[in-house]
Amino acid sequence: MSYETRPQTYDETIRVLGKKDYRGIAEFVLPVVKEADEISLEHAKLSIPDMIEMDFLAKVNINEESFILHIEFESAYKSNTEMLKRMLKYYTYIKWHNDLPIYQVLMVLKEPTNVKNIEGSFKSTVQDLDVMQYQYKVIKAYEIDKYEVLKDKQVVLYPLRVFMKHDGESEEEHILECLTAVESLPDKDYYFLTVQCVKKLYEKSKYKKFVKEEIIMQSSLYREPYEKGKVEGEAKMVIKLLTKRFGVIPPELRKRIESLDSETLDRIMDEALSYESIKDVEKTLQ
């Protein structure tokens, strides 16, 4: 009997990694966290209609100093302007609810095709007067040596190695190496999560022959799926988001969305903030 992996929400993959080892994630993006006296995950859900839930939010205490660490993992980088606005929205929301210093990090997983230089700051002036400066740290996963992660035994990052540099390896060799690296780990959730990252980056024909369903089925994330709901629930979420952005959704488009698979729904969620109109949604479905 053959088994298919259950459809999962990709964004939830990132959040599960954070919950499994949030200190490891925090130390990777901000090494000084290794000296932290305490680090705790914070509430990351948003009440703002057109904003997607934050990927990682934690409170860090170091030598009697406290601050908020916010990390976003982006696999569909569209433009500097869109990302700067999105990160600034997050900053404002966090500051409104928690009056602590905020350190923001953006990890870009896939190299953008239409953006040559990724920016993480801007400066506003009025009549030659500086009125605002804003910046966040940018980490490019695709420029990180995936073997350095293995050498340092940063297990929580193993699934994200899929997005990292693989010089001298073909795509299939890279996929196989990434899966092999997590195959023998006692915690089979890391194999499951690595497969989810592979699915995000590659066509099924590239990875299908390497994925071992018998290992996936040992993961608690397979036995007790971590997605927010079934595909029907994901579709309702997408419809709700699009309705709040653009008003009433045409009945025919609503039916098409309700019939989509999980991966397509994920893509719409990833791109929702960059849509200018319903026509952009329809283009995604073509």
Side-chain angles (χ1 to χ4, degrees):
M1 182 182 297
S2 62
Y3 295 86
E4 289 292 329
T5 55
R6 301 180 184 182
Q8 305 293 335
T9 303
Y10 172 73
D11 286 342
E12 197 68 13
T13 299
I14 298 298
R15 296 186 191 108
V16 169
L17 279 175
K19 291 174 183 177
K20 289 185 75 65
D21 183 6
Y22 53 85
R23 192 173 188 118
I25 291 285
E27 289 177 0
F28 174 70
V29 302
L30 187 60
V32 72
V33 172
K34 292 178 181 178
E35 303 173 12
D37 304 308
E38 182 182 6
I39 175 171
S40 57
L41 288 178
E42 293 288 292
H43 181 71
K45 290 188 179 295
L46 303 173
S47 58
I48 304 174
D50 65 342
M51 288 185 69
I52 300 172
E53 184 177 342
M54 286 177 278
D55 291 333
F56 183 98
L57 195 67
K59 181 180 178 181
V60 183
N61 297 320
I62 302 179
N63 299 326
E64 299 183 354
E65 177 189 4
S66 297
F67 64 91
I68 297 296
L69 175 62
H70 168 221
I71 309 171
E72 286 297 310
F73 297 82
E74 181 58 52
S75 62
Y77 199 97
K78 297 296 183 182
S79 74
N80 287 319
T81 300
E82 183 275 331
M83 187 54 65
L84 282 165
K85 288 180 178 179
R86 178 175 160 192
M87 293 295 284
L88 184 55
K89 274 188 177 182
Y90 283 139
Y91 185 99
T92 304
Y93 182 89
I94 297 167
K95 192 67 175 179
W96 182 271
H97 291 276
N98 196 330
D99 193 19
L100 287 173
I102 304 166
Y103 189 89
Q104 287 185 297
V105 179
L106 172 66
M107 180 177 284
V108 184
L109 300 175
K110 295 170 62 176
E111 185 172 8
T113 55
N114 300 320
V115 181
K116 292 183 178 180
N117 298 308
I118 295 177
E119 297 175 2
S121 65
F122 72 79
K123 180 178 180 180
S124 294
T125 60
V126 175
Q127 294 294 304
D128 295 326
L129 298 173
D130 293 337
V131 294
M132 182 178 182
Q133 287 185 307
Y134 171 66
Q135 67 177 25
Y136 48 83
K137 180 179 181 180
V138 176
I139 297 176
K140 301 172 183 177
Y142 52 88
E143 292 184 352
I144 297 173
D145 184 346
K146 68 173 184 174
Y147 287 105
E148 288 297 315
V149 173
L150 276 186
K151 186 178 70 175
D152 296 337
K153 297 182 179 179
Q154 297 169 298
V155 177
V156 71
L157 300 177
Y158 283 13
L160 298 182
R161 293 178 68 247
V162 172
F163 299 98
M164 297 180 186
K165 281 197 305 185
H166 50 95
D167 296 340
E169 296 177 339
S170 67
E171 290 183 345
E172 291 192 351
E173 289 172 336
H174 171 58
I175 293 169
L176 178 58
E177 189 279 326
C178 288
L179 291 173
T180 302
V182 293
E183 183 176 317
S184 60
L185 292 176
D187 188 344
K188 302 307 178 186
D189 287 353
Y190 285 108
Y191 188 89
F192 182 96
L193 294 167
T194 301
V195 171
Q196 303 312 307
C197 290
V198 168
K199 286 182 175 182
K200 183 70 176 179
L201 196 56
Y202 297 104
E203 296 291 333
K204 192 171 185 178
S205 60
K206 293 281 187 181
Y207 63 78
K208 183 178 180 181
K209 62 184 176 182
F210 300 125
V211 174
K212 297 183 178 180
E213 297 288 347
E214 66 272 18
I215 299 180
I216 288 177
M217 292 169 61
Q218 295 177 48
S219 167
S220 62
L221 300 177
Y222 178 88
R223 296 193 300 271
E224 299 175 13
Y226 63 87
E227 71 270 31
K228 296 178 181 179
K230 297 180 180 179
V231 175
E232 292 85 351
E234 296 177 24
K236 288 181 181 178
M237 190 186 308
V238 168
I239 291 171
K240 183 177 180 181
L241 174 59
L242 295 177
T243 299
K244 288 184 176 179
R245 281 184 62 77
F246 306 118
V248 178
I249 306 299
E252 290 185 3
L253 179 58
R254 177 184 289 266
K255 288 182 180 179
R256 290 183 65 189
I257 292 173
E258 291 173 343
S259 65
L260 294 174
D261 58 35
S262 184
E263 291 185 10
T264 306
L265 291 168
D266 283 347
R267 188 164 72 252
I268 294 176
M269 288 291 288
D270 284 341
E271 299 178 359
L273 296 180
S274 65
Y275 289 149
E276 297 293 335
S277 69
I278 284 295
K279 290 184 179 180
D280 292 329
V281 183
E282 294 172 341
K283 289 179 181 178
T284 300
L285 301 182
Q286 290 178 354

